[in-house]
Amino acid sequence: MGRLDSSALARELDALTVRDQFRVRSRVDTLDPGHPERCFVDGRALINFCSNDYLGLRAHPELIRAASEGMRSYGVGAGAAHLVCGHSAEHAALELELAAFLGRERALLFSTGYLANLGVLSALSGRHDVVLADRLNHASLIDGTRLAGAQLHRYAHADAHACGRLLDRYPDSRLIVTDGVFSMDGDVAPLTALAALAHARGSWLVVDDAHGIGVLGAHGGGSVADAGLDAAAVPVLIGTLGKALGTFGAFVAGDALLIETLIQRARTYLYTTALPPGIAAATRAALRIVRDEPWRRRHLQALVLRFRDRAAALGLPLSASMSAIQPILAGSSARALAWSDALLKHGFWVGAIRPPTVPQGSARLRVTLSAAHAQTQVDALVDALGEVVHQGLQ
Ligand SMILES: *Cc1c(COP(=O)(O)O)cnc(C)c1O
């Protein structure tokens, strides 16, 4: 309350340290473009098991070439928001290709996934509306309902019955909002059941598939495509470009009326600079690779199965995730940090995820696998995890 003073800030920061919640950034010095899973961090050579580059595309020569050509044609920055003069032919082509890829009428680019979620929720709901959401949804979805001023009710994680009970209590619920693949747990939402509920009760289902796009589904269409759900079942489909697609930015896909509404009303669309056109060009190249190189998805899936088999054989505390996100439950933040530090000494970079990103008492290592990894690297990681976890590090 009242004026800000620096000793209050210092006390708050100290409190974070005491709770093992103080965060520090590691500095990536270089990456080997031929091997994007290898990097130098704070002077140390590491194998990266914490990036969201699930298909190993972020340093792909085709993406780099497309980005460079896009920059030569349009400059580095977009120069303005889409509705001013920032909407290039590369953006327009990418929107058409995303819509076709996902079987939706239209797609709309946003500058980040965080902004897409704020924009969708504040354009589609307001102070008199009820929004139902999975308890473990991404922070940006929660912040979106806050910005909208909507009444938020959260149901137990991945529990469609619990969502149904909330619908009984709030029959006018406007939106049901869920991650497709949950970002910190790696499990997939019960999309078919949620879509049936939403349809029966006249709410709209909003799916944020940041971690499913490109990875899941026979053609990389994500968790929604994998569940066989079309635009009638999932009217609002959100995805990010900075994860499996290896670039930056996000999109919303849906029917023409939805997209036109977002263009007119989403403030995080209207009042922000468009993505760099070279990034749009690189994303088009990424979509072609997603389509033409299904081996990347198959290799990744094989690595997931191998990781789980070997980790289970060592008695490691796995979660019920079949995706590229494989959490290893630690419990306390101190233990998750100790495990992460010990893995660095073995040459592996695995992030410790702590509250408030995850609920109290569920700090964890978040291992992410990528098509860029070799099987031998995954095997070596599991061996190191076995040693580290069984050393009983606190
Ligand atoms: C990463 C992520 C976002 C945010 O996307 P950015 O483009 O990084 O802002 C939104 N939702 C989910 C589920 C995410 O994992």
Side-chain angles (χ1 to χ4, degrees), residues 52 54 110-117 137-141 178-184 208-211 238-243 248-250 325 366:
N52 300 317
Y54 301 122
F110 279 77
S111 296
T112 69
Y114 193 100
L115 291 177
N117 286 342
N137 275 353
H138 192 264
S140 56
L141 293 169
T178 185
D179 283 18
V181 176
F182 286 88
S183 53
M184 296 301 138
D208 172 355
D209 205 22
H211 299 276
I238 301 160
T240 58
L241 310 177
K243 290 166 180 154
F248 188 78
I325 301 165
R366 178 178 181 268

PDB file of all heavy atoms in Angstrom, residues 52 54 110-117 137-141 178-184 208-211 238-243 248-250 325 366, ligand 1:
ATOM      1  N   ASN A  52      11.169 -26.050 -25.879  1.00  0.00           N
ATOM      2  CA  ASN A  52       9.905 -26.504 -26.465  1.00  0.00           C
ATOM      3  C   ASN A  52      10.029 -26.708 -27.973  1.00  0.00           C
ATOM      4  O   ASN A  52       9.032 -26.734 -28.686  1.00  0.00           O
ATOM      5  CB  ASN A  52       8.795 -25.488 -26.186  1.00  0.00           C
ATOM      6  CG  ASN A  52       8.562 -25.291 -24.705  1.00  0.00           C
ATOM      7  OD1 ASN A  52       8.530 -26.253 -23.937  1.00  0.00           O
ATOM      8  ND2 ASN A  52       8.423 -24.038 -24.285  1.00  0.00           N
ATOM      9  N   TYR A  54      10.081 -28.996 -30.065  1.00  0.00           N
ATOM     10  CA  TYR A  54       9.792 -30.438 -30.074  1.00  0.00           C
ATOM     11  C   TYR A  54      10.181 -31.161 -31.359  1.00  0.00           C
ATOM     12  O   TYR A  54      10.412 -32.353 -31.344  1.00  0.00           O
ATOM     13  CB  TYR A  54       8.300 -30.674 -29.819  1.00  0.00           C
ATOM     14  CG  TYR A  54       7.819 -30.112 -28.505  1.00  0.00           C
ATOM     15  CD1 TYR A  54       6.790 -29.167 -28.460  1.00  0.00           C
ATOM     16  CD2 TYR A  54       8.399 -30.511 -27.306  1.00  0.00           C
ATOM     17  CE1 TYR A  54       6.347 -28.645 -27.263  1.00  0.00           C
ATOM     18  CE2 TYR A  54       7.969 -29.984 -26.110  1.00  0.00           C
ATOM     19  CZ  TYR A  54       6.952 -29.059 -26.083  1.00  0.00           C
ATOM     20  OH  TYR A  54       6.521 -28.546 -24.896  1.00  0.00           O
ATOM     21  N   PHE A 110      -1.224 -13.621 -34.057  1.00  0.00           N
ATOM     22  CA  PHE A 110      -0.985 -12.736 -32.914  1.00  0.00           C
ATOM     23  C   PHE A 110       0.521 -12.707 -32.663  1.00  0.00           C
ATOM     24  O   PHE A 110       1.239 -13.619 -33.071  1.00  0.00           O
ATOM     25  CB  PHE A 110      -1.698 -13.258 -31.658  1.00  0.00           C
ATOM     26  CG  PHE A 110      -3.162 -12.898 -31.599  1.00  0.00           C
ATOM     27  CD1 PHE A 110      -4.093 -13.585 -32.361  1.00  0.00           C
ATOM     28  CD2 PHE A 110      -3.608 -11.871 -30.775  1.00  0.00           C
ATOM     29  CE1 PHE A 110      -5.441 -13.249 -32.315  1.00  0.00           C
ATOM     30  CE2 PHE A 110      -4.952 -11.529 -30.714  1.00  0.00           C
ATOM     31  CZ  PHE A 110      -5.880 -12.218 -31.486  1.00  0.00           C
ATOM     32  N   SER A 111       0.974 -11.680 -31.949  1.00  0.00           N
ATOM     33  CA  SER A 111       2.423 -11.540 -31.795  1.00  0.00           C
ATOM     34  C   SER A 111       3.016 -12.501 -30.775  1.00  0.00           C
ATOM     35  O   SER A 111       4.200 -12.824 -30.863  1.00  0.00           O
ATOM     36  CB  SER A 111       2.784 -10.098 -31.460  1.00  0.00           C
ATOM     37  OG  SER A 111       2.421  -9.297 -32.574  1.00  0.00           O
ATOM     38  N   THR A 112       2.237 -12.952 -29.803  1.00  0.00           N
ATOM     39  CA  THR A 112       2.654 -14.057 -28.927  1.00  0.00           C
ATOM     40  C   THR A 112       1.403 -14.830 -28.492  1.00  0.00           C
ATOM     41  O   THR A 112       0.276 -14.327 -28.605  1.00  0.00           O
ATOM     42  CB  THR A 112       3.371 -13.603 -27.631  1.00  0.00           C
ATOM     43  OG1 THR A 112       2.428 -12.948 -26.785  1.00  0.00           O
ATOM     44  CG2 THR A 112       4.555 -12.681 -27.901  1.00  0.00           C
ATOM     45  N   GLY A 113       1.633 -16.010 -27.927  1.00  0.00           N
ATOM     46  CA  GLY A 113       0.529 -16.801 -27.396  1.00  0.00           C
ATOM     47  C   GLY A 113      -0.115 -16.122 -26.200  1.00  0.00           C
ATOM     48  O   GLY A 113      -1.334 -16.182 -26.009  1.00  0.00           O
ATOM     49  N   TYR A 114       0.704 -15.484 -25.415  1.00  0.00           N
ATOM     50  CA  TYR A 114       0.179 -14.762 -24.252  1.00  0.00           C
ATOM     51  C   TYR A 114      -0.824 -13.706 -24.717  1.00  0.00           C
ATOM     52  O   TYR A 114      -1.943 -13.598 -24.182  1.00  0.00           O
ATOM     53  CB  TYR A 114       1.354 -14.126 -23.498  1.00  0.00           C
ATOM     54  CG  TYR A 114       0.998 -13.619 -22.128  1.00  0.00           C
ATOM     55  CD1 TYR A 114       1.293 -14.362 -20.992  1.00  0.00           C
ATOM     56  CD2 TYR A 114       0.343 -12.403 -21.969  1.00  0.00           C
ATOM     57  CE1 TYR A 114       0.958 -13.898 -19.737  1.00  0.00           C
ATOM     58  CE2 TYR A 114       0.006 -11.939 -20.713  1.00  0.00           C
ATOM     59  CZ  TYR A 114       0.311 -12.681 -19.606  1.00  0.00           C
ATOM     60  OH  TYR A 114      -0.030 -12.224 -18.360  1.00  0.00           O
ATOM     61  N   LEU A 115      -0.436 -12.960 -25.747  1.00  0.00           N
ATOM     62  CA  LEU A 115      -1.337 -11.925 -26.265  1.00  0.00           C
ATOM     63  C   LEU A 115      -2.572 -12.530 -26.921  1.00  0.00           C
ATOM     64  O   LEU A 115      -3.670 -11.969 -26.827  1.00  0.00           O
ATOM     65  CB  LEU A 115      -0.590 -11.038 -27.269  1.00  0.00           C
ATOM     66  CG  LEU A 115       0.485 -10.133 -26.675  1.00  0.00           C
ATOM     67  CD1 LEU A 115       1.200  -9.365 -27.777  1.00  0.00           C
ATOM     68  CD2 LEU A 115      -0.128  -9.154 -25.669  1.00  0.00           C
ATOM     69  N   ALA A 116      -2.416 -13.646 -27.618  1.00  0.00           N
ATOM     70  CA  ALA A 116      -3.569 -14.294 -28.260  1.00  0.00           C
ATOM     71  C   ALA A 116      -4.603 -14.658 -27.198  1.00  0.00           C
ATOM     72  O   ALA A 116      -5.799 -14.408 -27.360  1.00  0.00           O
ATOM     73  CB  ALA A 116      -3.116 -15.538 -29.025  1.00  0.00           C
ATOM     74  N   ASN A 117      -4.132 -15.232 -26.084  1.00  0.00           N
ATOM     75  CA  ASN A 117      -5.077 -15.657 -25.049  1.00  0.00           C
ATOM     76  C   ASN A 117      -5.753 -14.467 -24.380  1.00  0.00           C
ATOM     77  O   ASN A 117      -6.964 -14.492 -24.129  1.00  0.00           O
ATOM     78  CB  ASN A 117      -4.372 -16.539 -24.026  1.00  0.00           C
ATOM     79  CG  ASN A 117      -4.099 -17.924 -24.598  1.00  0.00           C
ATOM     80  OD1 ASN A 117      -4.710 -18.305 -25.595  1.00  0.00           O
ATOM     81  ND2 ASN A 117      -3.203 -18.657 -23.990  1.00  0.00           N
ATOM     82  N   ASN A 137      -4.772 -24.814 -16.229  1.00  0.00           N
ATOM     83  CA  ASN A 137      -4.550 -24.059 -17.465  1.00  0.00           C
ATOM     84  C   ASN A 137      -3.354 -23.123 -17.356  1.00  0.00           C
ATOM     85  O   ASN A 137      -2.986 -22.675 -16.270  1.00  0.00           O
ATOM     86  CB  ASN A 137      -5.784 -23.208 -17.794  1.00  0.00           C
ATOM     87  CG  ASN A 137      -6.839 -23.993 -18.556  1.00  0.00           C
ATOM     88  OD1 ASN A 137      -6.610 -25.129 -18.963  1.00  0.00           O
ATOM     89  ND2 ASN A 137      -7.990 -23.380 -18.738  1.00  0.00           N
ATOM     90  N   HIS A 138      -2.792 -22.801 -18.512  1.00  0.00           N
ATOM     91  CA  HIS A 138      -1.660 -21.870 -18.600  1.00  0.00           C
ATOM     92  C   HIS A 138      -2.020 -20.500 -18.021  1.00  0.00           C
ATOM     93  O   HIS A 138      -3.156 -20.035 -18.150  1.00  0.00           O
ATOM     94  CB  HIS A 138      -1.267 -21.715 -20.072  1.00  0.00           C
ATOM     95  CG  HIS A 138       0.045 -21.023 -20.277  1.00  0.00           C
ATOM     96  ND1 HIS A 138       0.136 -19.676 -20.535  1.00  0.00           N
ATOM     97  CD2 HIS A 138       1.314 -21.496 -20.262  1.00  0.00           C
ATOM     98  CE1 HIS A 138       1.414 -19.350 -20.686  1.00  0.00           C
ATOM     99  NE2 HIS A 138       2.147 -20.437 -20.525  1.00  0.00           N
ATOM    100  N   ALA A 139      -1.028 -19.866 -17.413  1.00  0.00           N
ATOM    101  CA  ALA A 139      -1.230 -18.569 -16.752  1.00  0.00           C
ATOM    102  C   ALA A 139      -1.884 -17.534 -17.677  1.00  0.00           C
ATOM    103  O   ALA A 139      -2.705 -16.718 -17.228  1.00  0.00           O
ATOM    104  CB  ALA A 139       0.113 -18.041 -16.257  1.00  0.00           C
ATOM    105  N   SER A 140      -1.541 -17.562 -18.956  1.00  0.00           N
ATOM    106  CA  SER A 140      -2.079 -16.543 -19.868  1.00  0.00           C
ATOM    107  C   SER A 140      -3.596 -16.677 -20.038  1.00  0.00           C
ATOM    108  O   SER A 140      -4.279 -15.684 -20.293  1.00  0.00           O
ATOM    109  CB  SER A 140      -1.381 -16.636 -21.223  1.00  0.00           C
ATOM    110  OG  SER A 140      -1.495 -17.937 -21.762  1.00  0.00           O
ATOM    111  N   LEU A 141      -4.129 -17.889 -19.902  1.00  0.00           N
ATOM    112  CA  LEU A 141      -5.587 -18.067 -19.997  1.00  0.00           C
ATOM    113  C   LEU A 141      -6.260 -17.500 -18.747  1.00  0.00           C
ATOM    114  O   LEU A 141      -7.340 -16.900 -18.820  1.00  0.00           O
ATOM    115  CB  LEU A 141      -5.934 -19.553 -20.163  1.00  0.00           C
ATOM    116  CG  LEU A 141      -5.500 -20.178 -21.487  1.00  0.00           C
ATOM    117  CD1 LEU A 141      -5.643 -21.692 -21.443  1.00  0.00           C
ATOM    118  CD2 LEU A 141      -6.311 -19.610 -22.651  1.00  0.00           C
ATOM    119  N   THR A 178      -9.580 -24.644 -22.071  1.00  0.00           N
ATOM    120  CA  THR A 178      -8.607 -25.652 -21.623  1.00  0.00           C
ATOM    121  C   THR A 178      -7.339 -25.627 -22.470  1.00  0.00           C
ATOM    122  O   THR A 178      -7.377 -25.285 -23.654  1.00  0.00           O
ATOM    123  CB  THR A 178      -9.227 -27.068 -21.665  1.00  0.00           C
ATOM    124  OG1 THR A 178      -8.291 -28.011 -21.112  1.00  0.00           O
ATOM    125  CG2 THR A 178      -9.556 -27.507 -23.084  1.00  0.00           C
ATOM    126  N   ASP A 179      -6.214 -25.974 -21.855  1.00  0.00           N
ATOM    127  CA  ASP A 179      -5.019 -26.329 -22.626  1.00  0.00           C
ATOM    128  C   ASP A 179      -5.360 -27.608 -23.395  1.00  0.00           C
ATOM    129  O   ASP A 179      -6.153 -28.436 -22.898  1.00  0.00           O
ATOM    130  CB  ASP A 179      -3.837 -26.680 -21.687  1.00  0.00           C
ATOM    131  CG  ASP A 179      -3.145 -25.461 -21.062  1.00  0.00           C
ATOM    132  OD1 ASP A 179      -3.720 -24.362 -21.046  1.00  0.00           O
ATOM    133  OD2 ASP A 179      -2.005 -25.642 -20.568  1.00  0.00           O
ATOM    134  N   GLY A 180      -4.772 -27.825 -24.563  1.00  0.00           N
ATOM    135  CA  GLY A 180      -4.908 -29.106 -25.260  1.00  0.00           C
ATOM    136  C   GLY A 180      -3.970 -30.106 -24.599  1.00  0.00           C
ATOM    137  O   GLY A 180      -4.401 -31.077 -23.969  1.00  0.00           O
ATOM    138  N   VAL A 181      -2.670 -29.863 -24.700  1.00  0.00           N
ATOM    139  CA  VAL A 181      -1.650 -30.604 -23.938  1.00  0.00           C
ATOM    140  C   VAL A 181      -1.234 -29.671 -22.802  1.00  0.00           C
ATOM    141  O   VAL A 181      -0.872 -28.521 -23.045  1.00  0.00           O
ATOM    142  CB  VAL A 181      -0.424 -30.921 -24.818  1.00  0.00           C
ATOM    143  CG1 VAL A 181       0.663 -31.601 -23.995  1.00  0.00           C
ATOM    144  CG2 VAL A 181      -0.827 -31.770 -26.016  1.00  0.00           C
ATOM    145  N   PHE A 182      -1.287 -30.155 -21.566  1.00  0.00           N
ATOM    146  CA  PHE A 182      -0.992 -29.270 -20.433  1.00  0.00           C
ATOM    147  C   PHE A 182       0.504 -29.008 -20.334  1.00  0.00           C
ATOM    148  O   PHE A 182       1.312 -29.945 -20.371  1.00  0.00           O
ATOM    149  CB  PHE A 182      -1.571 -29.857 -19.144  1.00  0.00           C
ATOM    150  CG  PHE A 182      -3.058 -29.692 -19.112  1.00  0.00           C
ATOM    151  CD1 PHE A 182      -3.886 -30.643 -19.675  1.00  0.00           C
ATOM    152  CD2 PHE A 182      -3.631 -28.542 -18.589  1.00  0.00           C
ATOM    153  CE1 PHE A 182      -5.261 -30.472 -19.711  1.00  0.00           C
ATOM    154  CE2 PHE A 182      -5.001 -28.353 -18.619  1.00  0.00           C
ATOM    155  CZ  PHE A 182      -5.816 -29.314 -19.171  1.00  0.00           C
ATOM    156  N   SER A 183       0.839 -27.725 -20.177  1.00  0.00           N
ATOM    157  CA  SER A 183       2.221 -27.313 -20.397  1.00  0.00           C
ATOM    158  C   SER A 183       3.191 -27.843 -19.348  1.00  0.00           C
ATOM    159  O   SER A 183       4.362 -28.043 -19.647  1.00  0.00           O
ATOM    160  CB  SER A 183       2.307 -25.786 -20.472  1.00  0.00           C
ATOM    161  OG  SER A 183       1.702 -25.188 -19.351  1.00  0.00           O
ATOM    162  N   MET A 184       2.746 -28.037 -18.117  1.00  0.00           N
ATOM    163  CA  MET A 184       3.659 -28.485 -17.067  1.00  0.00           C
ATOM    164  C   MET A 184       3.465 -29.958 -16.722  1.00  0.00           C
ATOM    165  O   MET A 184       4.231 -30.531 -15.954  1.00  0.00           O
ATOM    166  CB  MET A 184       3.469 -27.641 -15.795  1.00  0.00           C
ATOM    167  CG  MET A 184       3.821 -26.185 -15.992  1.00  0.00           C
ATOM    168  SD  MET A 184       5.541 -25.983 -16.517  1.00  0.00           S
ATOM    169  CE  MET A 184       5.342 -24.729 -17.773  1.00  0.00           C
ATOM    170  N   ASP A 208      -6.368 -24.151 -26.135  1.00  0.00           N
ATOM    171  CA  ASP A 208      -5.026 -23.607 -26.348  1.00  0.00           C
ATOM    172  C   ASP A 208      -4.091 -24.795 -26.538  1.00  0.00           C
ATOM    173  O   ASP A 208      -3.744 -25.483 -25.578  1.00  0.00           O
ATOM    174  CB  ASP A 208      -4.623 -22.772 -25.126  1.00  0.00           C
ATOM    175  CG  ASP A 208      -3.166 -22.320 -25.185  1.00  0.00           C
ATOM    176  OD1 ASP A 208      -2.441 -22.721 -26.111  1.00  0.00           O
ATOM    177  OD2 ASP A 208      -2.764 -21.568 -24.273  1.00  0.00           O
ATOM    178  N   ASP A 209      -3.711 -25.028 -27.795  1.00  0.00           N
ATOM    179  CA  ASP A 209      -2.920 -26.229 -28.108  1.00  0.00           C
ATOM    180  C   ASP A 209      -1.451 -25.896 -28.359  1.00  0.00           C
ATOM    181  O   ASP A 209      -0.816 -26.462 -29.252  1.00  0.00           O
ATOM    182  CB  ASP A 209      -3.541 -26.942 -29.315  1.00  0.00           C
ATOM    183  CG  ASP A 209      -3.195 -28.419 -29.336  1.00  0.00           C
ATOM    184  OD1 ASP A 209      -2.854 -28.975 -28.277  1.00  0.00           O
ATOM    185  OD2 ASP A 209      -3.259 -29.021 -30.428  1.00  0.00           O
ATOM    186  N   ALA A 210      -0.917 -25.019 -27.533  1.00  0.00           N
ATOM    187  CA  ALA A 210       0.469 -24.571 -27.696  1.00  0.00           C
ATOM    188  C   ALA A 210       1.446 -25.748 -27.811  1.00  0.00           C
ATOM    189  O   ALA A 210       2.408 -25.684 -28.576  1.00  0.00           O
ATOM    190  CB  ALA A 210       0.868 -23.683 -26.518  1.00  0.00           C
ATOM    191  N   HIS A 211       1.204 -26.818 -27.051  1.00  0.00           N
ATOM    192  CA  HIS A 211       2.160 -27.927 -27.027  1.00  0.00           C
ATOM    193  C   HIS A 211       1.723 -29.122 -27.883  1.00  0.00           C
ATOM    194  O   HIS A 211       2.399 -30.147 -27.896  1.00  0.00           O
ATOM    195  CB  HIS A 211       2.394 -28.397 -25.588  1.00  0.00           C
ATOM    196  CG  HIS A 211       2.968 -27.316 -24.725  1.00  0.00           C
ATOM    197  ND1 HIS A 211       4.306 -27.031 -24.669  1.00  0.00           N
ATOM    198  CD2 HIS A 211       2.355 -26.399 -23.936  1.00  0.00           C
ATOM    199  CE1 HIS A 211       4.509 -26.014 -23.860  1.00  0.00           C
ATOM    200  NE2 HIS A 211       3.343 -25.606 -23.401  1.00  0.00           N
ATOM    201  N   ILE A 238      -6.456 -22.194 -30.465  1.00  0.00           N
ATOM    202  CA  ILE A 238      -5.306 -21.301 -30.334  1.00  0.00           C
ATOM    203  C   ILE A 238      -4.038 -22.143 -30.405  1.00  0.00           C
ATOM    204  O   ILE A 238      -4.004 -23.255 -29.872  1.00  0.00           O
ATOM    205  CB  ILE A 238      -5.366 -20.563 -28.971  1.00  0.00           C
ATOM    206  CG1 ILE A 238      -6.663 -19.754 -28.873  1.00  0.00           C
ATOM    207  CG2 ILE A 238      -4.151 -19.653 -28.780  1.00  0.00           C
ATOM    208  CD1 ILE A 238      -7.055 -19.390 -27.451  1.00  0.00           C
ATOM    209  N   GLY A 239      -3.033 -21.626 -31.071  1.00  0.00           N
ATOM    210  CA  GLY A 239      -1.759 -22.348 -31.099  1.00  0.00           C
ATOM    211  C   GLY A 239      -0.609 -21.353 -31.092  1.00  0.00           C
ATOM    212  O   GLY A 239      -0.794 -20.176 -31.416  1.00  0.00           O
ATOM    213  N   THR A 240       0.565 -21.825 -30.706  1.00  0.00           N
ATOM    214  CA  THR A 240       1.715 -20.928 -30.728  1.00  0.00           C
ATOM    215  C   THR A 240       2.695 -21.400 -31.806  1.00  0.00           C
ATOM    216  O   THR A 240       2.709 -22.561 -32.200  1.00  0.00           O
ATOM    217  CB  THR A 240       2.426 -20.860 -29.362  1.00  0.00           C
ATOM    218  OG1 THR A 240       2.839 -22.165 -29.001  1.00  0.00           O
ATOM    219  CG2 THR A 240       1.508 -20.322 -28.288  1.00  0.00           C
ATOM    220  N   LEU A 241       3.517 -20.470 -32.247  1.00  0.00           N
ATOM    221  CA  LEU A 241       4.493 -20.758 -33.300  1.00  0.00           C
ATOM    222  C   LEU A 241       5.895 -20.940 -32.716  1.00  0.00           C
ATOM    223  O   LEU A 241       6.798 -21.400 -33.393  1.00  0.00           O
ATOM    224  CB  LEU A 241       4.510 -19.606 -34.321  1.00  0.00           C
ATOM    225  CG  LEU A 241       3.128 -19.186 -34.856  1.00  0.00           C
ATOM    226  CD1 LEU A 241       3.255 -17.991 -35.800  1.00  0.00           C
ATOM    227  CD2 LEU A 241       2.462 -20.360 -35.574  1.00  0.00           C
ATOM    228  N   GLY A 242       6.069 -20.585 -31.449  1.00  0.00           N
ATOM    229  CA  GLY A 242       7.396 -20.587 -30.830  1.00  0.00           C
ATOM    230  C   GLY A 242       7.794 -21.932 -30.256  1.00  0.00           C
ATOM    231  O   GLY A 242       8.890 -22.066 -29.700  1.00  0.00           O
ATOM    232  N   LYS A 243       6.930 -22.927 -30.364  1.00  0.00           N
ATOM    233  CA  LYS A 243       7.269 -24.232 -29.788  1.00  0.00           C
ATOM    234  C   LYS A 243       7.613 -25.200 -30.912  1.00  0.00           C
ATOM    235  O   LYS A 243       8.664 -25.054 -31.519  1.00  0.00           O
ATOM    236  CB  LYS A 243       6.143 -24.664 -28.869  1.00  0.00           C
ATOM    237  CG  LYS A 243       6.172 -23.751 -27.628  1.00  0.00           C
ATOM    238  CD  LYS A 243       4.999 -23.768 -26.731  1.00  0.00           C
ATOM    239  CE  LYS A 243       5.282 -22.783 -25.584  1.00  0.00           C
ATOM    240  NZ  LYS A 243       4.084 -22.233 -24.990  1.00  0.00           N
ATOM    241  N   PHE A 248       8.164 -18.012 -33.737  1.00  0.00           N
ATOM    242  CA  PHE A 248       7.733 -17.065 -32.719  1.00  0.00           C
ATOM    243  C   PHE A 248       6.344 -16.579 -33.102  1.00  0.00           C
ATOM    244  O   PHE A 248       6.045 -16.408 -34.275  1.00  0.00           O
ATOM    245  CB  PHE A 248       8.703 -15.863 -32.682  1.00  0.00           C
ATOM    246  CG  PHE A 248       8.449 -14.925 -31.540  1.00  0.00           C
ATOM    247  CD1 PHE A 248       8.866 -15.228 -30.261  1.00  0.00           C
ATOM    248  CD2 PHE A 248       7.775 -13.726 -31.754  1.00  0.00           C
ATOM    249  CE1 PHE A 248       8.622 -14.361 -29.202  1.00  0.00           C
ATOM    250  CE2 PHE A 248       7.533 -12.854 -30.702  1.00  0.00           C
ATOM    251  CZ  PHE A 248       7.959 -13.177 -29.430  1.00  0.00           C
ATOM    252  N   GLY A 249       5.512 -16.344 -32.098  1.00  0.00           N
ATOM    253  CA  GLY A 249       4.183 -15.813 -32.388  1.00  0.00           C
ATOM    254  C   GLY A 249       3.107 -16.834 -32.104  1.00  0.00           C
ATOM    255  O   GLY A 249       3.364 -17.873 -31.476  1.00  0.00           O
ATOM    256  N   ALA A 250       1.893 -16.529 -32.556  1.00  0.00           N
ATOM    257  CA  ALA A 250       0.757 -17.402 -32.257  1.00  0.00           C
ATOM    258  C   ALA A 250      -0.357 -17.145 -33.254  1.00  0.00           C
ATOM    259  O   ALA A 250      -0.279 -16.219 -34.062  1.00  0.00           O
ATOM    260  CB  ALA A 250       0.256 -17.131 -30.840  1.00  0.00           C
ATOM    261  N   ILE A 325       6.427 -33.746 -23.131  1.00  0.00           N
ATOM    262  CA  ILE A 325       6.649 -33.155 -21.811  1.00  0.00           C
ATOM    263  C   ILE A 325       6.576 -34.276 -20.780  1.00  0.00           C
ATOM    264  O   ILE A 325       5.530 -34.903 -20.608  1.00  0.00           O
ATOM    265  CB  ILE A 325       5.569 -32.091 -21.511  1.00  0.00           C
ATOM    266  CG1 ILE A 325       5.601 -31.002 -22.583  1.00  0.00           C
ATOM    267  CG2 ILE A 325       5.748 -31.514 -20.107  1.00  0.00           C
ATOM    268  CD1 ILE A 325       4.367 -30.108 -22.586  1.00  0.00           C
ATOM    269  N   ARG A 366      11.020 -30.671 -15.390  1.00  0.00           N
ATOM    270  CA  ARG A 366      10.205 -30.779 -16.605  1.00  0.00           C
ATOM    271  C   ARG A 366      11.146 -31.150 -17.744  1.00  0.00           C
ATOM    272  O   ARG A 366      11.843 -30.303 -18.288  1.00  0.00           O
ATOM    273  CB  ARG A 366       9.501 -29.459 -16.892  1.00  0.00           C
ATOM    274  CG  ARG A 366       8.665 -29.449 -18.171  1.00  0.00           C
ATOM    275  CD  ARG A 366       7.976 -28.097 -18.314  1.00  0.00           C
ATOM    276  NE  ARG A 366       7.129 -27.985 -19.490  1.00  0.00           N
ATOM    277  CZ  ARG A 366       7.537 -27.513 -20.674  1.00  0.00           C
ATOM    278  NH1 ARG A 366       8.771 -27.123 -20.846  1.00  0.00           N
ATOM    279  NH2 ARG A 366       6.679 -27.427 -21.686  1.00  0.00           N
TER     280      ARG A 366
HETATM  281  C1  LIG B   1       3.829 -21.076 -24.157  1.00  0.00           C
HETATM  282  C2  LIG B   1       2.366 -21.025 -23.935  1.00  0.00           C
HETATM  283  C3  LIG B   1       1.643 -19.868 -24.182  1.00  0.00           C
HETATM  284  C4  LIG B   1       2.323 -18.557 -24.493  1.00  0.00           C
HETATM  285  O1  LIG B   1       2.811 -18.534 -25.786  1.00  0.00           O
HETATM  286  P1  LIG B   1       3.961 -17.477 -26.139  1.00  0.00           P
HETATM  287  O2  LIG B   1       3.933 -17.395 -27.616  1.00  0.00           O
HETATM  288  O3  LIG B   1       5.217 -18.021 -25.580  1.00  0.00           O
HETATM  289  O4  LIG B   1       3.554 -16.184 -25.484  1.00  0.00           O
HETATM  290  C5  LIG B   1       0.277 -19.921 -24.082  1.00  0.00           C
HETATM  291  N1  LIG B   1      -0.358 -21.064 -23.716  1.00  0.00           N
HETATM  292  C6  LIG B   1       0.312 -22.185 -23.431  1.00  0.00           C
HETATM  293  C7  LIG B   1      -0.444 -23.409 -23.023  1.00  0.00           C
HETATM  294  C8  LIG B   1       1.689 -22.199 -23.517  1.00  0.00           C
HETATM  295  O5  LIG B   1       2.363 -23.297 -23.209  1.00  0.00           O
END
